[in-house]
Amino acid sequence: MKISVITIFPEFFDSFQMTSIIKRAIENNRVEFETIDFRNFTLDKHRHVDDTPYGGGQGMVLACQPIIDALRSIQTEKSHVVMLTPQGSSFVQKKAVELSQYEHLILLCGHYEGFDERIRSYVDEEISIGDYVLTGGEPAALVISDAVIRLLDGVILEDSHEDDSFSDGLLEYPQYTKPADFEGKKVPEVLLSGHHANIRQWRLKESLRKTQQRRPDLLKGRMFTKEEEKLLAEIAEEQQKEH
């Protein structure tokens, strides 16, 4: 897979490419990562990439020409172009999985007061990483790139992300490591039992419990299995006893 980030701050991604799992993925040719500085494509003699908005108002708006020329310099029939904007659809794990299937992902980073509206007609979709406004699209591009790269074949063990939060619509179950007893706080006995069926069921139950407590919205409209319904009933009974 190839990921291209169109930005006026390519240096923002330097440390990202030199760290941990991402660095190894690049070195092992699991992903090709590049940044394209669209300031290099401006025809303005002062190297401006923005201008004042028609109709007046505060701030500056990114102009069409340098961005579209930068996009055309790398775009192919296999490219999928994503504009990063607060107006886009929410970025969730399902979308990360979807984006990881493309051969070439292009992430377009905005800045200032945003994009000239006409640029939208050159992209395939718009994505937001949350209901807040950043100084630019670079942090969003980094988040999306990280989420996508870790899903690629050979980057991490498949089992490592199959149980991730949101991978099956639930938050991840609690995790523990040594020691088994830390200042009187003990690891649940079931995890020390070696009984794989019981461990699997405990993990599912705790995923349901945590999701119900912290993100109940994720359970709305979910088609529960009989096992999940049984575990939810047990959780409800335990909650009644606590009160």
Side-chain angles (χ1 to χ4, degrees):
M1 181 185 196
K2 181 177 181 180
I3 298 178
S4 303
V5 181
I6 298 179
T7 173
I8 52 172
F9 297 108
E11 65 277 7
F12 186 93
F13 301 91
D14 289 348
S15 61
F16 173 70
Q17 300 177 67
M18 297 300 296
T19 306
S20 186
I21 292 172
I22 305 302
K23 179 182 179 182
R24 292 198 299 272
I26 294 172
E27 291 176 343
N28 294 333
N29 297 316
R30 300 299 179 180
V31 64
E32 180 183 349
F33 188 90
E34 68 174 356
T35 54
I36 309 297
D37 186 346
F38 64 84
R39 193 181 296 278
N40 293 333
F41 291 82
T42 182
L43 301 179
D44 183 270
K45 64 180 180 179
H46 301 296
R47 288 174 55 81
H48 291 160
V49 294
D50 59 346
D51 211 330
T52 55
Y54 280 120
Q58 297 297 316
M60 305 288 280
V61 177
L62 289 171
C64 294
Q65 178 271 314
I67 290 178
I68 301 308
D69 282 357
L71 176 59
R72 285 173 172 162
S73 73
I74 58 172
Q75 190 175 17
T76 71
E77 292 182 356
K78 296 181 179 179
S79 301
H80 184 74
V81 185
V82 177
M83 174 187 282
L84 303 173
T85 166
Q87 301 174 28
S89 58
S90 296
F91 183 64
V92 295
Q93 185 66 17
K94 182 179 179 181
K95 175 57 68 173
V97 173
E98 179 185 321
L99 294 179
S100 71
Q101 306 304 309
Y102 290 103
E103 289 188 28
H104 186 204
L105 184 62
I106 300 177
L107 303 177
L108 178 55
C109 300
H111 218 71
Y112 310 118
E113 287 300 309
F115 299 96
D116 184 303
E117 186 69 18
R118 292 166 291 187
I119 295 173
R120 287 185 156 85
S121 63
Y122 295 85
V123 308
D124 296 306
E125 67 174 313
E126 301 177 34
I127 293 179
S128 167
I129 62 168
D131 294 340
Y132 44 84
V133 179
L134 301 169
T135 55
E138 287 74 20
L142 191 151
V143 166
I144 291 173
S145 296
D146 187 284
V148 168
I149 291 172
R150 67 188 301 277
L151 293 173
L152 301 178
D153 290 342
V155 174
I156 62 175
L157 294 175
E158 188 173 352
D159 289 347
S160 296
H161 62 72
E162 283 186 344
D163 290 334
D164 284 342
S165 290
F166 310 112
S167 60
D168 62 352
L170 301 174
L171 298 184
E172 188 178 13
Y173 50 78
Q175 298 272 24
Y176 299 86
T177 188
K178 299 178 182 64
D181 186 333
F182 179 74
E183 296 184 350
K185 298 177 177 62
K186 298 181 179 181
V187 173
E189 287 293 331
V190 65
L191 298 180
L192 308 176
S193 68
H195 195 298
H196 297 299
N198 287 350
I199 291 172
R200 184 201 62 79
Q201 188 174 74
W202 179 88
R203 285 175 168 171
L204 176 58
K205 183 176 181 178
E206 294 310 308
S207 285
L208 288 164
R209 189 195 308 275
K210 185 177 288 189
T211 305
Q212 186 182 68
Q213 291 174 343
R214 303 184 183 184
R215 289 291 305 276
D217 57 295
L218 295 176
L219 299 180
K220 293 180 180 179
R222 181 183 177 88
M223 298 293 291
F224 296 103
T225 65
K226 290 184 178 180
E227 182 182 28
E228 290 174 341
E229 291 177 347
K230 176 177 176 293
L231 294 174
L232 284 169
E234 291 179 7
I235 292 170
E237 186 177 339
E238 292 168 3
Q239 291 173 340
Q240 287 181 346
K241 289 181 179 179
E242 290 175 0
H243 295 296

